Amino acid sequence: MTASTHASPFEHGVVCSPHALASASGLAVLRDGGNALDAAVATNLTLGVVAPYSCGFGGDLFAIVWRDGVAAYNGSGRTPAAMTAEVVRAAAGDAMPERGPLPVTVPGAVEAWFSLLDRFGTRSFGQLANDALRYARDGFPITELGAESIAEVREEFAGSAAWHAVYGEIHQPGDVLRQ
């Protein structure tokens, strides 16, 4: 087929993520004429809202982009400058804790979104964040996996008023999560 027979340059585009609402956000960007990088950022932003139990904004981002050649981006989080092995051992001993400030790196994804959009994107960050902002403000029905993930940590965060303010009313799939 020639290009003139297609309604959109992304007629056969696909967006895949661990949450249908996030995938739909990315696909909407493609339908609106955005490119694959724009769609990936919109998908990632929406994931941070609709699947915060596994895809939060504090993660890393690695990308291989093709535009007139291959470009790779390493958006892995960096260790804070003062966080040496000696500091960790003094605070935690020989075993790295699973939670808290010691095992956390500076998030690399946020810088990666802006760097990649600046170089390869066709949409603004604000445009790409629209769905994520709407789901955070208006809410969305939690999935079965989401309800299970929240239930798994409910006891651990029982004393946290901030956690309870966001997740306290979520008990089963279909409950609406607003952030």
Side-chain angles (χ1 to χ4, degrees), residues 54-76:
S54 65
C55 299
F57 297 128
D60 299 328
L61 188 155
F62 304 93
I64 298 175
V65 180
W66 176 270
R67 181 185 284 166
D68 301 323
V70 174
Y73 190 93
N74 177 353
S76 59

Side-chain angles (χ1 to χ4, degrees), residues 21 49-50 133-141 176-179:
L21 293 175
V49 173
V50 301
L133 291 169
R134 181 171 42 87
Y135 290 129
R137 180 189 61 238
D138 299 339
F140 60 93
V176 175
L177 177 59
R178 287 180 186 81
Q179 300 180 37

